[in-house]
Amino acid sequence: MTAAIMDDLVILWAGDRTLAVLHRGPLADWLWHPAGCRLIQDDIVLYDQDGRLGLTIDEEAAYFVDDQAVETLRSVIMR
């Protein structure tokens, strides 16, 4: 998966398929305080499970995102 981080948006791709276009502010807020809520956008669902970031694509394939990748995403989005 690839993320393009723009001034106001974060776009997530898998190969040549756009999975989601997220507004940067709400995504940053959610990454810092998921509080058991799911963030649903386009073809993805982001969720917090026991302090780990989970990602579901098309409600089928579920993945956990590496903690270091989450920290990198947080730091870049917060700029």
Side-chain angles (χ1 to χ4, degrees):
M1 183 177 324
T2 305
I5 301 171
M6 301 172 174
D7 288 340
D8 295 331
L9 300 173
V10 176
I11 302 171
L12 300 177
W13 283 283
D16 62 351
R17 177 181 170 197
T18 302
L19 297 174
V21 178
L22 302 118
H23 289 276
R24 190 172 173 160
L27 175 59
D29 291 343
W30 186 88
L31 283 170
W32 284 105
H33 306 286
C37 298
R38 292 175 177 245
L39 179 62
I40 302 168
Q41 185 67 42
D42 302 323
D43 296 334
I44 68 162
V45 177
L46 298 173
Y47 59 93
D48 175 68
Q49 183 172 325
D50 301 323
R52 295 187 67 203
L53 174 65
L55 169 71
T56 301
I57 302 171
D58 295 331
E59 299 180 20
E60 294 178 11
Y63 308 93
F64 282 107
V65 180
D66 178 76
D67 291 339
Q68 184 59 48
V70 173
E71 289 304 316
T72 299
L73 184 59
R74 283 180 182 151
S75 68
V76 171
I77 288 177
M78 294 306 292
R79 289 185 192 166

